[in-house]
Amino acid sequence: INAEYMGGPEPPQLKDWLPFLDPQDPRNRYSGLVRNGFRFTNTPAKSVEEIIVNGRENIPHNFDDVNIHLHGAVINTHLFFPQGTSDPAADFITIRPGQCYCYNFRFPEDHPVGTYWYHIHRHGSAAIQAWSGMAGLLYVEGDFDNRLKAAGITREEPFVVWDPHWRRLNGSMQLSVRELLGTDLFLRDQTDQARIVYLVNSKYQPRLRMGVGEAVRVRLLCATTENLAAFRVVDSRSNETRPVWIVAEDGHNFEQPAQRDFIVMAGGQRFDVVLQFDQPGPYSIVSDGLEELQFFGTGPANQTLAFIEVTGPPSAPVDIGALRFPAPHVPIDPAAITKRRKIVFDVQGDTRTVPFPQMLINGKSYRTDYIDEEVEQGAVEEWLVLNPRNVTHPFHIHVSSFFIKEQGTTKQPNNPYVRAQLERDVWRDTAIVPPLGYLRMWLRFPVDPCCNLYGKTVFHCHFLAHEDTGMIANLMIKPLNASL
């Protein structure tokens, strides 16, 4: 096989953006989005020399560089070098081919029990690595698991939804009846939704087998790089929706299970779901209803994620709705809130500026050496995240989880797939900021003497191509009593 096909895609060059800067260029995928609110501004650059670069670090780069992030874990900061640093100018931990780096992760004794995950988080290569499948589940085990087992929910299954973008490697040697595929080019991955095929646990439409009455805990992770996904269980004979039970989100258990007809999820979110069927037969899990809800009136096509075969004699069912669990956290007292912040996730279409479109937080693209927000350990704050454009942004913050008080949108507010994204009074570490909408949340930045929950870290959009091209901000958490 030619050596060219053994490596991954090359990072984009400035010239590769030129077709996207000209609204009249037939190759420009953004031109068709104008009717849904996308705006081209400025006089288009006609050559590389006319391009303004909005931060070289926001040009996707160094695709072979890696590091690791334990997503959702309330542990010591671990993104910047050296691990745990409070240096405002610190760069990302970067592990290049042939190198290694030793991390030291400390989990508090009272860390929430649940489903977490890990993935590459090197700014510039995060999206390509995620499209390539560099991610995995992480379980924090404890009392909640024991309570589920004691109730009769003893079996669990992983369900990792992934959106690889691929290209045929033309000229490569064909292996039997299989083609040799590679991760697609960044700019095509970012803009082309026509070929999205979801995999589950790295398989295409896998098959899950269950018994009648059996209750199975499904560890659902949306590991998509740039897409929403839905989770709806359908009776394949009648095409009727079968409701599911949610017992936890983002590692935070519910006090009592919540029944839903379907789930809409974005990259980074996790749901612990319990499935149970009272009749044998074929069922399927589908992702649908999102074709117009993601990026200026576009979105992933409807498709089947997996199949379920329910067979055998009935077993005694679990009364899932009757289960009760201790609250995962001490409630936040609104009187304890000492600061309110406003964060704006925005998309601009300046046709002289690259990356295009521009992914901004509070009007700025990312700078590694700039601290955008500063907080103190133990602080209790309210954050309002605004989204003025017709595009979805999943919000994620490191080190701290948050309590959602309200989400809203003016875009199709009565659409059930929009309503399914909006939550209230739940704990999460990743939440959807819907198009033309907002997210209001309370944060209590944790203190634990064992774990150094302070230093330089980030919050960002968890559509990782948005993050790689600028929609990320640095957060400095100052240690308790740092001024003493």
Side-chain angles (χ1 to χ4, degrees):
I1 303 174
N2 190 307
E4 173 188 354
Y5 302 114
M6 296 303 291
E10 292 295 320
Q13 305 299 310
L14 294 183
K15 63 180 177 61
D16 298 329
W17 265 284
L18 287 172
F20 301 111
L21 302 180
D22 183 358
Q24 306 305 317
D25 192 305
R27 296 170 291 176
N28 193 336
R29 295 187 179 96
Y30 294 101
S31 296
L33 306 182
V34 172
R35 64 181 180 274
N36 292 311
F38 188 86
R39 294 189 300 170
F40 291 92
T41 61
N42 215 336
T43 303
K46 299 296 185 182
S47 66
V48 168
E49 290 72 25
E50 295 179 356
I51 287 176
I52 299 168
V53 178
N54 199 2
R56 279 281 173 183
E57 58 215 297
N58 299 315
I59 304 292
H61 59 281
N62 292 5
F63 287 169
D64 290 327
D65 289 356
V66 301
N67 57 18
I68 195 167
H69 170 50
L70 305 193
H71 184 119
V74 182
I75 56 174
N76 45 321
T77 55
H78 54 276
L79 207 58
F80 294 95
F81 182 86
Q83 184 185 350
T85 183
S86 292
D87 179 0
D91 202 354
F92 287 86
I93 293 172
T94 301
I95 308 166
R96 296 194 165 91
Q99 297 180 343
C100 65
Y101 185 86
C102 285
Y103 287 88
N104 181 353
F105 297 120
R106 302 172 189 161
F107 284 76
E109 290 187 6
D110 61 350
H111 192 287
V113 172
T115 303
Y116 300 86
W117 68 302
Y118 58 89
H119 61 88
I120 307 303
H121 208 310
R122 178 58 173 93
H123 183 64
S125 66
I128 283 291
Q129 293 286 353
W131 275 313
S132 302
M134 294 288 280
L137 281 166
L138 172 68
Y139 299 161
V140 177
E141 300 177 332
D143 180 67
F144 178 61
D145 306 305
N146 297 333
R147 289 173 180 270
L148 288 174
K149 292 174 183 176
I153 306 172
T154 59
R155 177 183 167 192
E156 61 180 50
E157 297 287 342
F159 199 97
V160 180
V161 181
W162 172 40
D163 60 341
H165 284 248
W166 49 269
R167 57 185 170 130
R168 291 184 175 88
L169 299 179
N170 296 327
S172 63
M173 182 174 66
Q174 188 162 331
L175 306 178
S176 183
V177 296
R178 301 182 179 183
E179 292 182 283
L180 191 61
L181 305 177
T183 303
D184 204 353
L185 304 178
F186 182 94
L187 294 183
R188 283 211 297 259
D189 286 350
Q190 187 181 24
T191 59
D192 186 6
Q193 296 174 326
R195 294 182 298 149
I196 295 171
V197 176
Y198 290 124
L199 301 184
V200 173
N201 302 337
S202 295
K203 297 179 180 179
Y204 180 65
Q205 297 181 344
R207 194 169 296 273
L208 176 67
R209 292 174 173 83
M210 295 177 55
V212 176
E214 182 182 20
V216 177
R217 176 188 185 182
V218 176
R219 303 262 199 166
L220 173 58
L221 162 63
C222 185
T224 58
T225 306
E226 194 75 352
N227 288 290
L228 296 169
F231 184 95
R232 184 167 69 91
V233 178
V234 178
D235 187 321
S236 300
R237 297 158 298 188
S238 65
N239 206 34
E240 294 180 349
T241 298
R242 296 298 301 260
V244 301
W245 290 98
I246 303 174
V247 295
E249 294 181 347
D250 287 359
H252 307 282
N253 68 264
F254 288 1
E255 294 182 58
Q256 63 185 70
Q259 193 174 53
R260 299 285 186 270
D261 285 339
F262 55 86
I263 296 168
V264 175
M265 51 193 174
Q269 293 188 303
R270 290 92 62 210
F271 296 80
D272 284 48
V273 175
V274 178
L275 299 182
Q276 186 172 247
F277 298 90
D278 57 4
Q279 295 293 328
Y283 299 85
S284 58
I285 301 173
V286 300
S287 177
D288 61 355
L290 306 175
E291 305 98 317
E292 299 179 355
L293 300 184
Q294 183 168 291
F295 191 83
F296 293 98
T298 65
N302 300 341
Q303 56 190 284
T304 299
L305 300 179
F307 297 100
I308 304 174
E309 293 180 4
V310 180
T311 60
S315 59
V318 176
D319 187 356
I320 302 169
L323 299 178
R324 297 295 181 268
F325 307 101
H329 298 281
V330 174
I332 292 178
D333 181 356
I337 294 173
T338 58
K339 191 176 182 66
R340 288 175 167 81
R341 300 177 193 257
K342 183 171 71 174
I343 309 293
V344 181
F345 280 13
D346 198 7
V347 179
Q348 297 286 340
D350 186 335
T351 57
R352 297 189 76 83
T353 301
V354 164
F356 182 90
Q358 295 82 48
M359 300 292 173
L360 311 174
I361 295 181
N362 289 348
K364 300 189 295 291
S365 287
Y366 182 64
R367 280 180 48 189
T368 308
D369 60 353
Y370 181 81
I371 300 300
D372 298 271
E373 304 290 340
E374 188 173 84
V375 302
E376 293 184 352
Q377 273 192 300
V380 179
E381 300 191 354
E382 179 179 276
W383 286 27
L384 177 64
V385 185
L386 302 176
N387 178 6
R389 307 298 172 197
N390 187 11
V391 54
T392 298
H393 297 298
F395 173 92
H396 174 56
I397 188 169
H398 293 207
V399 179
S400 179
S401 53
F402 51 82
F403 188 67
I404 295 178
K405 290 304 298 177
E406 188 179 12
Q407 290 170 283
T409 178
T410 59
K411 178 180 178 178
Q412 301 184 30
N414 296 320
N415 182 325
Y417 285 85
V418 173
R419 293 201 305 269
Q421 302 174 40
L422 309 180
E423 297 186 288
R424 184 188 295 267
D425 296 337
V426 296
W427 289 93
R428 299 216 71 132
D429 58 63
T430 309
I432 294 172
V433 190
L436 307 174
Y438 64 92
L439 161 68
R440 186 166 65 90
M441 58 189 171
W442 292 350
L443 302 95
R444 180 172 53 213
F445 290 91
V447 179
D448 194 304
C450 87
C451 302
N452 299 338
L453 303 175
Y454 56 82
K456 184 179 178 181
T457 189
V458 298
F459 60 91
H460 59 94
C461 175
H462 216 282
F463 279 167
L464 293 177
H466 293 190
E467 183 266 311
D468 268 346
T469 52
M471 195 170 280
I472 176 173
N474 289 327
L475 172 68
M476 183 66 78
I477 303 174
K478 297 191 296 184
L480 191 66
N481 299 325
S483 59
L484 298 181

